[in-house]
PDB file of all heavy atoms in Angstrom:
ATOM      1  N   ALA T   1       0.815  -1.212   0.000  1.00  0.00           N
ATOM      2  CA  ALA T   1       0.000   0.000   0.000  1.00  0.00           C
ATOM      3  C   ALA T   1       0.850   1.264   0.000  1.00  0.00           C
ATOM      4  O   ALA T   1       0.371   2.340  -0.359  1.00  0.00           O
ATOM      5  CB  ALA T   1      -0.936   0.004   1.201  1.00  0.00           C
ATOM      6  N   THR T   2       2.126   1.157   0.397  1.00  0.00           N
ATOM      7  CA  THR T   2       3.005   2.327   0.434  1.00  0.00           C
ATOM      8  C   THR T   2       3.589   2.659  -0.938  1.00  0.00           C
ATOM      9  O   THR T   2       4.180   3.723  -1.109  1.00  0.00           O
ATOM     10  CB  THR T   2       4.165   2.094   1.414  1.00  0.00           C
ATOM     11  OG1 THR T   2       4.807   0.847   1.097  1.00  0.00           O
ATOM     12  CG2 THR T   2       3.663   2.040   2.848  1.00  0.00           C
ATOM     13  N   ASP T   3       3.455   1.759  -1.903  1.00  0.00           N
ATOM     14  CA  ASP T   3       3.988   2.032  -3.236  1.00  0.00           C
ATOM     15  C   ASP T   3       3.206   3.166  -3.891  1.00  0.00           C
ATOM     16  O   ASP T   3       1.972   3.198  -3.809  1.00  0.00           O
ATOM     17  CB  ASP T   3       3.888   0.768  -4.096  1.00  0.00           C
ATOM     18  CG  ASP T   3       4.663   0.884  -5.395  1.00  0.00           C
ATOM     19  OD1 ASP T   3       4.177   1.597  -6.303  1.00  0.00           O
ATOM     20  OD2 ASP T   3       5.732   0.267  -5.503  1.00  0.00           O
ATOM     21  N   PRO T   4       3.891   4.118  -4.549  1.00  0.00           N
ATOM     22  CA  PRO T   4       3.179   5.250  -5.178  1.00  0.00           C
ATOM     23  C   PRO T   4       2.109   4.823  -6.176  1.00  0.00           C
ATOM     24  O   PRO T   4       1.130   5.532  -6.383  1.00  0.00           O
ATOM     25  CB  PRO T   4       4.307   6.025  -5.869  1.00  0.00           C
ATOM     26  CG  PRO T   4       5.546   5.669  -5.114  1.00  0.00           C
ATOM     27  CD  PRO T   4       5.355   4.250  -4.670  1.00  0.00           C
ATOM     28  N   GLY T   5       2.275   3.671  -6.791  1.00  0.00           N
ATOM     29  CA  GLY T   5       1.302   3.224  -7.777  1.00  0.00           C
ATOM     30  C   GLY T   5       0.118   2.476  -7.196  1.00  0.00           C
ATOM     31  O   GLY T   5      -0.802   2.094  -7.925  1.00  0.00           O
ATOM     32  N   ALA T   6       0.128   2.264  -5.879  1.00  0.00           N
ATOM     33  CA  ALA T   6      -0.908   1.447  -5.249  1.00  0.00           C
ATOM     34  C   ALA T   6      -2.126   2.287  -4.882  1.00  0.00           C
ATOM     35  O   ALA T   6      -2.411   2.543  -3.713  1.00  0.00           O
ATOM     36  CB  ALA T   6      -0.340   0.752  -4.021  1.00  0.00           C
ATOM     37  N   THR T   7      -2.861   2.704  -5.882  1.00  0.00           N
ATOM     38  CA  THR T   7      -4.067   3.502  -5.681  1.00  0.00           C
ATOM     39  C   THR T   7      -5.291   2.578  -5.624  1.00  0.00           C
ATOM     40  O   THR T   7      -5.195   1.378  -5.886  1.00  0.00           O
ATOM     41  CB  THR T   7      -4.242   4.497  -6.831  1.00  0.00           C
ATOM     42  OG1 THR T   7      -4.376   3.733  -8.061  1.00  0.00           O
ATOM     43  CG2 THR T   7      -3.034   5.422  -6.948  1.00  0.00           C
ATOM     44  N   GLY T   8      -6.446   3.165  -5.332  1.00  0.00           N
ATOM     45  CA  GLY T   8      -7.669   2.387  -5.323  1.00  0.00           C
ATOM     46  C   GLY T   8      -7.963   1.754  -6.668  1.00  0.00           C
ATOM     47  O   GLY T   8      -8.393   0.593  -6.753  1.00  0.00           O
ATOM     48  N   SER T   9      -7.713   2.499  -7.747  1.00  0.00           N
ATOM     49  CA  SER T   9      -7.963   1.960  -9.085  1.00  0.00           C
ATOM     50  C   SER T   9      -6.995   0.821  -9.407  1.00  0.00           C
ATOM     51  O   SER T   9      -7.353  -0.131 -10.115  1.00  0.00           O
ATOM     52  CB  SER T   9      -7.844   3.065 -10.129  1.00  0.00           C
ATOM     53  OG  SER T   9      -6.544   3.642 -10.117  1.00  0.00           O
ATOM     54  N   TYR T  10      -5.769   0.908  -8.892  1.00  0.00           N
ATOM     55  CA  TYR T  10      -4.797  -0.174  -9.101  1.00  0.00           C
ATOM     56  C   TYR T  10      -5.327  -1.474  -8.496  1.00  0.00           C
ATOM     57  O   TYR T  10      -5.310  -2.535  -9.139  1.00  0.00           O
ATOM     58  CB  TYR T  10      -3.447   0.183  -8.484  1.00  0.00           C
ATOM     59  CG  TYR T  10      -2.538  -1.016  -8.309  1.00  0.00           C
ATOM     60  CD1 TYR T  10      -1.799  -1.511  -9.383  1.00  0.00           C
ATOM     61  CD2 TYR T  10      -2.443  -1.671  -7.076  1.00  0.00           C
ATOM     62  CE1 TYR T  10      -0.980  -2.630  -9.237  1.00  0.00           C
ATOM     63  CE2 TYR T  10      -1.630  -2.787  -6.922  1.00  0.00           C
ATOM     64  CZ  TYR T  10      -0.907  -3.261  -7.997  1.00  0.00           C
ATOM     65  OH  TYR T  10      -0.107  -4.366  -7.846  1.00  0.00           O
ATOM     66  N   TYR T  11      -5.796  -1.407  -7.249  1.00  0.00           N
ATOM     67  CA  TYR T  11      -6.295  -2.618  -6.601  1.00  0.00           C
ATOM     68  C   TYR T  11      -7.567  -3.122  -7.285  1.00  0.00           C
ATOM     69  O   TYR T  11      -7.785  -4.333  -7.369  1.00  0.00           O
ATOM     70  CB  TYR T  11      -6.531  -2.379  -5.112  1.00  0.00           C
ATOM     71  CG  TYR T  11      -5.244  -2.262  -4.330  1.00  0.00           C
ATOM     72  CD1 TYR T  11      -4.834  -1.045  -3.794  1.00  0.00           C
ATOM     73  CD2 TYR T  11      -4.419  -3.374  -4.139  1.00  0.00           C
ATOM     74  CE1 TYR T  11      -3.643  -0.936  -3.088  1.00  0.00           C
ATOM     75  CE2 TYR T  11      -3.223  -3.274  -3.438  1.00  0.00           C
ATOM     76  CZ  TYR T  11      -2.842  -2.049  -2.921  1.00  0.00           C
ATOM     77  OH  TYR T  11      -1.661  -1.955  -2.235  1.00  0.00           O
ATOM     78  N   ALA T  12      -8.397  -2.216  -7.774  1.00  0.00           N
ATOM     79  CA  ALA T  12      -9.590  -2.635  -8.517  1.00  0.00           C
ATOM     80  C   ALA T  12      -9.192  -3.428  -9.760  1.00  0.00           C
ATOM     81  O   ALA T  12      -9.821  -4.444 -10.096  1.00  0.00           O
ATOM     82  CB  ALA T  12     -10.427  -1.409  -8.889  1.00  0.00           C
ATOM     83  N   ASP T  13      -8.141  -2.980 -10.442  1.00  0.00           N
ATOM     84  CA  ASP T  13      -7.652  -3.700 -11.622  1.00  0.00           C
ATOM     85  C   ASP T  13      -7.121  -5.083 -11.251  1.00  0.00           C
ATOM     86  O   ASP T  13      -7.360  -6.073 -11.947  1.00  0.00           O
ATOM     87  CB  ASP T  13      -6.545  -2.900 -12.313  1.00  0.00           C
ATOM     88  CG  ASP T  13      -7.061  -1.652 -13.004  1.00  0.00           C
ATOM     89  OD1 ASP T  13      -8.285  -1.571 -13.234  1.00  0.00           O
ATOM     90  OD2 ASP T  13      -6.250  -0.757 -13.297  1.00  0.00           O
ATOM     91  N   ARG T  14      -6.380  -5.153 -10.144  1.00  0.00           N
ATOM     92  CA  ARG T  14      -5.829  -6.434  -9.693  1.00  0.00           C
ATOM     93  C   ARG T  14      -6.938  -7.414  -9.305  1.00  0.00           C
ATOM     94  O   ARG T  14      -6.859  -8.614  -9.604  1.00  0.00           O
ATOM     95  CB  ARG T  14      -4.897  -6.222  -8.491  1.00  0.00           C
ATOM     96  CG  ARG T  14      -3.641  -5.422  -8.760  1.00  0.00           C
ATOM     97  CD  ARG T  14      -2.566  -6.254  -9.452  1.00  0.00           C
ATOM     98  NE  ARG T  14      -2.749  -6.307 -10.906  1.00  0.00           N
ATOM     99  CZ  ARG T  14      -2.149  -7.173 -11.714  1.00  0.00           C
ATOM    100  NH1 ARG T  14      -1.339  -8.084 -11.207  1.00  0.00           N
ATOM    101  NH2 ARG T  14      -2.358  -7.138 -12.997  1.00  0.00           N
ATOM    102  N   VAL T  15      -7.967  -6.903  -8.648  1.00  0.00           N
ATOM    103  CA  VAL T  15      -9.107  -7.748  -8.280  1.00  0.00           C
ATOM    104  C   VAL T  15      -9.813  -8.249  -9.533  1.00  0.00           C
ATOM    105  O   VAL T  15     -10.193  -9.424  -9.625  1.00  0.00           O
ATOM    106  CB  VAL T  15     -10.080  -6.976  -7.364  1.00  0.00           C
ATOM    107  CG1 VAL T  15     -11.426  -7.704  -7.246  1.00  0.00           C
ATOM    108  CG2 VAL T  15      -9.460  -6.795  -5.987  1.00  0.00           C
ATOM    109  N   ALA T  16      -9.971  -7.384 -10.532  1.00  0.00           N
ATOM    110  CA  ALA T  16     -10.614  -7.786 -11.783  1.00  0.00           C
ATOM    111  C   ALA T  16      -9.841  -8.912 -12.451  1.00  0.00           C
ATOM    112  O   ALA T  16     -10.434  -9.861 -12.990  1.00  0.00           O
ATOM    113  CB  ALA T  16     -10.731  -6.585 -12.718  1.00  0.00           C
ATOM    114  N   VAL T  17      -8.520  -8.843 -12.408  1.00  0.00           N
ATOM    115  CA  VAL T  17      -7.685  -9.912 -12.980  1.00  0.00           C
ATOM    116  C   VAL T  17      -7.928 -11.220 -12.230  1.00  0.00           C
ATOM    117  O   VAL T  17      -8.101 -12.288 -12.830  1.00  0.00           O
ATOM    118  CB  VAL T  17      -6.194  -9.519 -12.918  1.00  0.00           C
ATOM    119  CG1 VAL T  17      -5.305 -10.713 -13.264  1.00  0.00           C
ATOM    120  CG2 VAL T  17      -5.908  -8.367 -13.866  1.00  0.00           C
ATOM    121  N   ALA T  18      -7.951 -11.149 -10.902  1.00  0.00           N
ATOM    122  CA  ALA T  18      -8.142 -12.358 -10.099  1.00  0.00           C
ATOM    123  C   ALA T  18      -9.507 -12.992 -10.347  1.00  0.00           C
ATOM    124  O   ALA T  18      -9.637 -14.221 -10.373  1.00  0.00           O
ATOM    125  CB  ALA T  18      -7.976 -12.020  -8.617  1.00  0.00           C
ATOM    126  N   LEU T  19     -10.519 -12.162 -10.544  1.00  0.00           N
ATOM    127  CA  LEU T  19     -11.877 -12.677 -10.705  1.00  0.00           C
ATOM    128  C   LEU T  19     -12.127 -13.295 -12.080  1.00  0.00           C
ATOM    129  O   LEU T  19     -13.146 -13.965 -12.279  1.00  0.00           O
ATOM    130  CB  LEU T  19     -12.894 -11.563 -10.451  1.00  0.00           C
ATOM    131  CG  LEU T  19     -12.959 -11.033  -9.004  1.00  0.00           C
ATOM    132  CD1 LEU T  19     -13.961  -9.897  -8.897  1.00  0.00           C
ATOM    133  CD2 LEU T  19     -13.308 -12.157  -8.029  1.00  0.00           C
ATOM    134  N   LYS T  20     -11.204 -13.108 -13.018  1.00  0.00           N
ATOM    135  CA  LYS T  20     -11.380 -13.684 -14.355  1.00  0.00           C
ATOM    136  C   LYS T  20     -11.425 -15.215 -14.321  1.00  0.00           C
ATOM    137  O   LYS T  20     -11.984 -15.846 -15.230  1.00  0.00           O
ATOM    138  CB  LYS T  20     -10.249 -13.227 -15.283  1.00  0.00           C
ATOM    139  CG  LYS T  20     -10.376 -11.778 -15.742  1.00  0.00           C
ATOM    140  CD  LYS T  20      -9.228 -11.407 -16.660  1.00  0.00           C
ATOM    141  CE  LYS T  20      -9.364  -9.963 -17.143  1.00  0.00           C
ATOM    142  NZ  LYS T  20      -8.226  -9.561 -18.025  1.00  0.00           N
ATOM    143  N   SER T  21     -10.848 -15.809 -13.288  1.00  0.00           N
ATOM    144  CA  SER T  21     -10.842 -17.275 -13.193  1.00  0.00           C
ATOM    145  C   SER T  21     -12.144 -17.819 -12.612  1.00  0.00           C
ATOM    146  O   SER T  21     -12.264 -19.027 -12.396  1.00  0.00           O
ATOM    147  CB  SER T  21      -9.658 -17.745 -12.333  1.00  0.00           C
ATOM    148  OG  SER T  21      -9.791 -17.248 -10.996  1.00  0.00           O
ATOM    149  N   ASN T  22     -13.105 -16.928 -12.350  1.00  0.00           N
ATOM    150  CA  ASN T  22     -14.392 -17.328 -11.779  1.00  0.00           C
ATOM    151  C   ASN T  22     -14.210 -18.186 -10.531  1.00  0.00           C
ATOM    152  O   ASN T  22     -14.680 -19.330 -10.444  1.00  0.00           O
ATOM    153  CB  ASN T  22     -15.226 -18.095 -12.823  1.00  0.00           C
ATOM    154  CG  ASN T  22     -16.665 -18.287 -12.371  1.00  0.00           C
ATOM    155  OD1 ASN T  22     -17.208 -17.480 -11.618  1.00  0.00           O
ATOM    156  ND2 ASN T  22     -17.282 -19.372 -12.813  1.00  0.00           N
ATOM    157  N   PRO T  23     -13.526 -17.652  -9.515  1.00  0.00           N
ATOM    158  CA  PRO T  23     -13.168 -18.474  -8.351  1.00  0.00           C
ATOM    159  C   PRO T  23     -14.351 -18.745  -7.418  1.00  0.00           C
ATOM    160  O   PRO T  23     -15.306 -17.976  -7.348  1.00  0.00           O
ATOM    161  CB  PRO T  23     -12.119 -17.610  -7.648  1.00  0.00           C
ATOM    162  CG  PRO T  23     -12.519 -16.199  -7.987  1.00  0.00           C
ATOM    163  CD  PRO T  23     -13.034 -16.267  -9.407  1.00  0.00           C
ATOM    164  N   ASP T  24     -14.236 -19.856  -6.679  1.00  0.00           N
ATOM    165  CA  ASP T  24     -15.153 -20.139  -5.573  1.00  0.00           C
ATOM    166  C   ASP T  24     -14.738 -19.345  -4.337  1.00  0.00           C
ATOM    167  O   ASP T  24     -15.558 -19.064  -3.466  1.00  0.00           O
ATOM    168  CB  ASP T  24     -15.109 -21.624  -5.187  1.00  0.00           C
ATOM    169  CG  ASP T  24     -15.404 -22.542  -6.355  1.00  0.00           C
ATOM    170  OD1 ASP T  24     -16.365 -22.262  -7.081  1.00  0.00           O
ATOM    171  OD2 ASP T  24     -14.663 -23.531  -6.529  1.00  0.00           O
ATOM    172  N   LEU T  25     -13.438 -19.052  -4.252  1.00  0.00           N
ATOM    173  CA  LEU T  25     -12.881 -18.385  -3.076  1.00  0.00           C
ATOM    174  C   LEU T  25     -11.783 -17.434  -3.508  1.00  0.00           C
ATOM    175  O   LEU T  25     -10.947 -17.781  -4.356  1.00  0.00           O
ATOM    176  CB  LEU T  25     -12.304 -19.419  -2.096  1.00  0.00           C
ATOM    177  CG  LEU T  25     -11.562 -18.863  -0.876  1.00  0.00           C
ATOM    178  CD1 LEU T  25     -12.545 -18.264   0.126  1.00  0.00           C
ATOM    179  CD2 LEU T  25     -10.717 -19.943  -0.207  1.00  0.00           C
ATOM    180  N   VAL T  26     -11.761 -16.247  -2.921  1.00  0.00           N
ATOM    181  CA  VAL T  26     -10.659 -15.303  -3.093  1.00  0.00           C
ATOM    182  C   VAL T  26      -9.865 -15.284  -1.790  1.00  0.00           C
ATOM    183  O   VAL T  26     -10.428 -15.046  -0.714  1.00  0.00           O
ATOM    184  CB  VAL T  26     -11.169 -13.885  -3.414  1.00  0.00           C
ATOM    185  CG1 VAL T  26     -10.005 -12.893  -3.470  1.00  0.00           C
ATOM    186  CG2 VAL T  26     -11.924 -13.886  -4.743  1.00  0.00           C
ATOM    187  N   TYR T  27      -8.568 -15.573  -1.891  1.00  0.00           N
ATOM    188  CA  TYR T  27      -7.686 -15.567  -0.718  1.00  0.00           C
ATOM    189  C   TYR T  27      -6.773 -14.348  -0.820  1.00  0.00           C
ATOM    190  O   TYR T  27      -6.072 -14.177  -1.820  1.00  0.00           O
ATOM    191  CB  TYR T  27      -6.858 -16.855  -0.665  1.00  0.00           C
ATOM    192  CG  TYR T  27      -5.822 -16.887   0.439  1.00  0.00           C
ATOM    193  CD1 TYR T  27      -6.196 -16.960   1.775  1.00  0.00           C
ATOM    194  CD2 TYR T  27      -4.461 -16.857   0.137  1.00  0.00           C
ATOM    195  CE1 TYR T  27      -5.250 -17.000   2.784  1.00  0.00           C
ATOM    196  CE2 TYR T  27      -3.500 -16.902   1.133  1.00  0.00           C
ATOM    197  CZ  TYR T  27      -3.897 -16.973   2.472  1.00  0.00           C
ATOM    198  OH  TYR T  27      -2.954 -17.005   3.473  1.00  0.00           O
ATOM    199  N   VAL T  28      -6.779 -13.502   0.206  1.00  0.00           N
ATOM    200  CA  VAL T  28      -6.038 -12.246   0.186  1.00  0.00           C
ATOM    201  C   VAL T  28      -4.898 -12.326   1.196  1.00  0.00           C
ATOM    202  O   VAL T  28      -5.115 -12.276   2.411  1.00  0.00           O
ATOM    203  CB  VAL T  28      -6.959 -11.052   0.513  1.00  0.00           C
ATOM    204  CG1 VAL T  28      -6.180  -9.742   0.424  1.00  0.00           C
ATOM    205  CG2 VAL T  28      -8.162 -11.032  -0.426  1.00  0.00           C
ATOM    206  N   SER T  29      -3.675 -12.477   0.711  1.00  0.00           N
ATOM    207  CA  SER T  29      -2.501 -12.548   1.585  1.00  0.00           C
ATOM    208  C   SER T  29      -1.701 -11.260   1.437  1.00  0.00           C
ATOM    209  O   SER T  29      -0.756 -11.161   0.648  1.00  0.00           O
ATOM    210  CB  SER T  29      -1.643 -13.770   1.228  1.00  0.00           C
ATOM    211  OG  SER T  29      -0.672 -13.997   2.230  1.00  0.00           O
ATOM    212  N   THR T  30      -2.134 -10.250   2.178  1.00  0.00           N
ATOM    213  CA  THR T  30      -1.509  -8.925   2.166  1.00  0.00           C
ATOM    214  C   THR T  30      -1.482  -8.406   3.592  1.00  0.00           C
ATOM    215  O   THR T  30      -2.067  -9.009   4.497  1.00  0.00           O
ATOM    216  CB  THR T  30      -2.321  -7.930   1.317  1.00  0.00           C
ATOM    217  OG1 THR T  30      -3.621  -7.765   1.925  1.00  0.00           O
ATOM    218  CG2 THR T  30      -2.497  -8.411  -0.109  1.00  0.00           C
ATOM    219  N   TYR T  31      -0.814  -7.271   3.801  1.00  0.00           N
ATOM    220  CA  TYR T  31      -0.974  -6.541   5.057  1.00  0.00           C
ATOM    221  C   TYR T  31      -2.213  -5.665   4.937  1.00  0.00           C
ATOM    222  O   TYR T  31      -2.684  -5.356   3.842  1.00  0.00           O
ATOM    223  CB  TYR T  31       0.277  -5.729   5.369  1.00  0.00           C
ATOM    224  CG  TYR T  31       1.419  -6.594   5.868  1.00  0.00           C
ATOM    225  CD1 TYR T  31       2.378  -7.081   4.987  1.00  0.00           C
ATOM    226  CD2 TYR T  31       1.496  -6.957   7.202  1.00  0.00           C
ATOM    227  CE1 TYR T  31       3.404  -7.899   5.432  1.00  0.00           C
ATOM    228  CE2 TYR T  31       2.525  -7.775   7.661  1.00  0.00           C
ATOM    229  CZ  TYR T  31       3.472  -8.239   6.778  1.00  0.00           C
ATOM    230  OH  TYR T  31       4.480  -9.064   7.217  1.00  0.00           O
ATOM    231  N   PHE T  32      -2.754  -5.259   6.089  1.00  0.00           N
ATOM    232  CA  PHE T  32      -4.098  -4.680   6.101  1.00  0.00           C
ATOM    233  C   PHE T  32      -4.290  -3.425   5.250  1.00  0.00           C
ATOM    234  O   PHE T  32      -5.394  -3.234   4.721  1.00  0.00           O
ATOM    235  CB  PHE T  32      -4.552  -4.414   7.545  1.00  0.00           C
ATOM    236  CG  PHE T  32      -3.937  -3.211   8.187  1.00  0.00           C
ATOM    237  CD1 PHE T  32      -4.551  -1.975   8.112  1.00  0.00           C
ATOM    238  CD2 PHE T  32      -2.735  -3.302   8.875  1.00  0.00           C
ATOM    239  CE1 PHE T  32      -3.976  -0.853   8.703  1.00  0.00           C
ATOM    240  CE2 PHE T  32      -2.165  -2.202   9.465  1.00  0.00           C
ATOM    241  CZ  PHE T  32      -2.783  -0.967   9.386  1.00  0.00           C
ATOM    242  N   PRO T  33      -3.302  -2.541   5.067  1.00  0.00           N
ATOM    243  CA  PRO T  33      -3.600  -1.374   4.217  1.00  0.00           C
ATOM    244  C   PRO T  33      -3.986  -1.770   2.790  1.00  0.00           C
ATOM    245  O   PRO T  33      -4.895  -1.179   2.197  1.00  0.00           O
ATOM    246  CB  PRO T  33      -2.296  -0.568   4.259  1.00  0.00           C
ATOM    247  CG  PRO T  33      -1.657  -0.959   5.559  1.00  0.00           C
ATOM    248  CD  PRO T  33      -1.957  -2.416   5.678  1.00  0.00           C
ATOM    249  N   ALA T  34      -3.300  -2.781   2.249  1.00  0.00           N
ATOM    250  CA  ALA T  34      -3.674  -3.278   0.920  1.00  0.00           C
ATOM    251  C   ALA T  34      -4.971  -4.070   0.994  1.00  0.00           C
ATOM    252  O   ALA T  34      -5.810  -4.011   0.089  1.00  0.00           O
ATOM    253  CB  ALA T  34      -2.558  -4.146   0.344  1.00  0.00           C
ATOM    254  N   GLY T  35      -5.155  -4.818   2.086  1.00  0.00           N
ATOM    255  CA  GLY T  35      -6.365  -5.605   2.259  1.00  0.00           C
ATOM    256  C   GLY T  35      -7.622  -4.754   2.258  1.00  0.00           C
ATOM    257  O   GLY T  35      -8.667  -5.164   1.731  1.00  0.00           O
ATOM    258  N   VAL T  36      -7.533  -3.562   2.838  1.00  0.00           N
ATOM    259  CA  VAL T  36      -8.683  -2.646   2.836  1.00  0.00           C
ATOM    260  C   VAL T  36      -9.075  -2.296   1.407  1.00  0.00           C
ATOM    261  O   VAL T  36     -10.257  -2.334   1.033  1.00  0.00           O
ATOM    262  CB  VAL T  36      -8.357  -1.363   3.633  1.00  0.00           C
ATOM    263  CG1 VAL T  36      -9.434  -0.300   3.413  1.00  0.00           C
ATOM    264  CG2 VAL T  36      -8.232  -1.669   5.117  1.00  0.00           C
ATOM    265  N   GLN T  37      -8.085  -1.962   0.592  1.00  0.00           N
ATOM    266  CA  GLN T  37      -8.358  -1.589  -0.794  1.00  0.00           C
ATOM    267  C   GLN T  37      -8.940  -2.767  -1.578  1.00  0.00           C
ATOM    268  O   GLN T  37      -9.840  -2.596  -2.418  1.00  0.00           O
ATOM    269  CB  GLN T  37      -7.073  -1.091  -1.464  1.00  0.00           C
ATOM    270  CG  GLN T  37      -6.481   0.151  -0.842  1.00  0.00           C
ATOM    271  CD  GLN T  37      -7.411   1.349  -0.937  1.00  0.00           C
ATOM    272  OE1 GLN T  37      -8.185   1.484  -1.885  1.00  0.00           O
ATOM    273  NE2 GLN T  37      -7.345   2.236   0.046  1.00  0.00           N
ATOM    274  N   ILE T  38      -8.450  -3.960  -1.306  1.00  0.00           N
ATOM    275  CA  ILE T  38      -8.959  -5.147  -1.995  1.00  0.00           C
ATOM    276  C   ILE T  38     -10.393  -5.437  -1.556  1.00  0.00           C
ATOM    277  O   ILE T  38     -11.249  -5.792  -2.378  1.00  0.00           O
ATOM    278  CB  ILE T  38      -8.030  -6.348  -1.733  1.00  0.00           C
ATOM    279  CG1 ILE T  38      -6.693  -6.115  -2.457  1.00  0.00           C
ATOM    280  CG2 ILE T  38      -8.676  -7.654  -2.187  1.00  0.00           C
ATOM    281  CD1 ILE T  38      -5.618  -7.113  -2.095  1.00  0.00           C
ATOM    282  N   ALA T  39     -10.673  -5.288  -0.270  1.00  0.00           N
ATOM    283  CA  ALA T  39     -12.038  -5.501   0.219  1.00  0.00           C
ATOM    284  C   ALA T  39     -13.009  -4.523  -0.435  1.00  0.00           C
ATOM    285  O   ALA T  39     -14.126  -4.893  -0.812  1.00  0.00           O
ATOM    286  CB  ALA T  39     -12.078  -5.356   1.741  1.00  0.00           C
ATOM    287  N   LYS T  40     -12.581  -3.277  -0.584  1.00  0.00           N
ATOM    288  CA  LYS T  40     -13.431  -2.280  -1.240  1.00  0.00           C
ATOM    289  C   LYS T  40     -13.671  -2.653  -2.708  1.00  0.00           C
ATOM    290  O   LYS T  40     -14.793  -2.537  -3.226  1.00  0.00           O
ATOM    291  CB  LYS T  40     -12.775  -0.899  -1.142  1.00  0.00           C
ATOM    292  CG  LYS T  40     -12.765  -0.299   0.270  1.00  0.00           C
ATOM    293  CD  LYS T  40     -12.102   1.067   0.273  1.00  0.00           C
ATOM    294  CE  LYS T  40     -12.089   1.677   1.665  1.00  0.00           C
ATOM    295  NZ  LYS T  40     -13.457   1.979   2.153  1.00  0.00           N
TER     296      LYS T  40
END
């Protein structure tokens, strides 16, 4: 989350990539600042 490029839109793009596999479960292994953005 401290990286200059780690904006809300960045995490939205990453989540969109992960969801392309049509998963049953999303597992988020991050520290909480990034986890907040992924949850959103």
Side-chain angles (χ1 to χ4, degrees):
T2 52
D3 191 285
T7 61
S9 60
Y10 163 81
Y11 288 110
D13 289 343
R14 295 282 84 195
V15 166
V17 169
L19 293 178
K20 285 180 179 179
S21 63
N22 191 29
D24 304 314
L25 174 73
V26 175
Y27 175 69
V28 183
S29 192
T30 63
Y31 285 94
F32 76 91
V36 169
Q37 298 298 328
I38 291 171
K40 290 180 180 294

